[in-house]
Amino acid sequence: MTTPWQHTISTQPRIAGFLDRLAQAPPHSLLLEGGTESQRLALGLFWAARLMCREQGPPCGKCRICLQIVDDACRDLFLLNGAEGSISIDTVREVRAVLGDPPAGRGPRVIILAEAQALGDAAANALLKSLEEPSPGNVFALLAPSREILL
């Protein structure tokens, strides 16, 4: 079984190495910009798997956590995908409701905001405090074509 990130990472070894080094002390928020929508999503999923996979040389792509990430069944991964339409304030509120709780697994909880430019104004404002002062155990990844369109 191939993971959604394998092809993207194999063609972007410099970015994979950067994310690997960054995972040693992950920031609470990370912006991944540029590339295509599918490349950004693949990198976001790679980042989540890199942070959560406990196998040697993570992400392995084969363990229970990696397979749950691929199947969108991981309890500690929230994927808010703006490519599917505007990210609503109700969706953001649902995610914010669990951010104060500890992650279910041994790794951090990862919140991916794919095509983050699709956040509505109300949703962005509701998420701002969580981004500025995240609870321990939460890591955000914002994916966008460029940072300028997020402002």
Side-chain angles (χ1 to χ4, degrees), residues 6-142:
Q6 282 177 326
H7 175 71
T8 299
I9 294 304
S10 68
T11 61
Q12 301 287 336
R14 198 174 109 234
I15 293 172
F18 172 75
L19 291 175
D20 193 46
R21 288 186 304 276
L22 197 58
Q24 303 308 312
H28 293 290
S29 300
L30 177 67
L31 170 63
L32 297 171
E33 63 177 327
T36 66
E37 179 184 312
S38 62
Q39 288 171 328
R40 288 188 297 275
L41 182 56
L43 284 173
L45 294 171
F46 172 83
W47 178 241
R50 174 61 186 88
L51 294 176
M52 290 188 226
C53 179
R54 295 292 168 223
E55 299 299 318
Q56 188 173 17
C60 69
K62 298 174 185 161
C63 70
R64 182 180 55 84
I65 294 293
C66 287
L67 294 176
Q68 287 176 346
I69 289 170
V70 168
D71 292 338
D72 194 21
C74 181
R75 294 185 315 175
D76 285 330
L77 174 63
F78 290 88
L79 175 59
L80 306 171
N81 197 341
E84 298 171 354
S86 180
I87 299 172
S88 72
I89 189 168
D90 293 332
T91 304
V92 169
R93 285 182 179 145
E94 288 174 25
V95 171
R96 283 188 55 209
V98 300
L99 294 180
D101 297 334
R106 293 185 295 170
R109 175 183 298 117
V110 179
I111 303 93
I112 298 175
L113 297 158
E115 302 311 297
Q117 71 274 11
L119 276 166
D121 288 344
N125 286 332
L127 193 61
L128 190 59
K129 183 166 177 67
S130 298
L131 282 169
E132 290 175 341
E133 300 171 16
S135 301
N138 295 308
V139 175
F140 289 88
L142 287 81

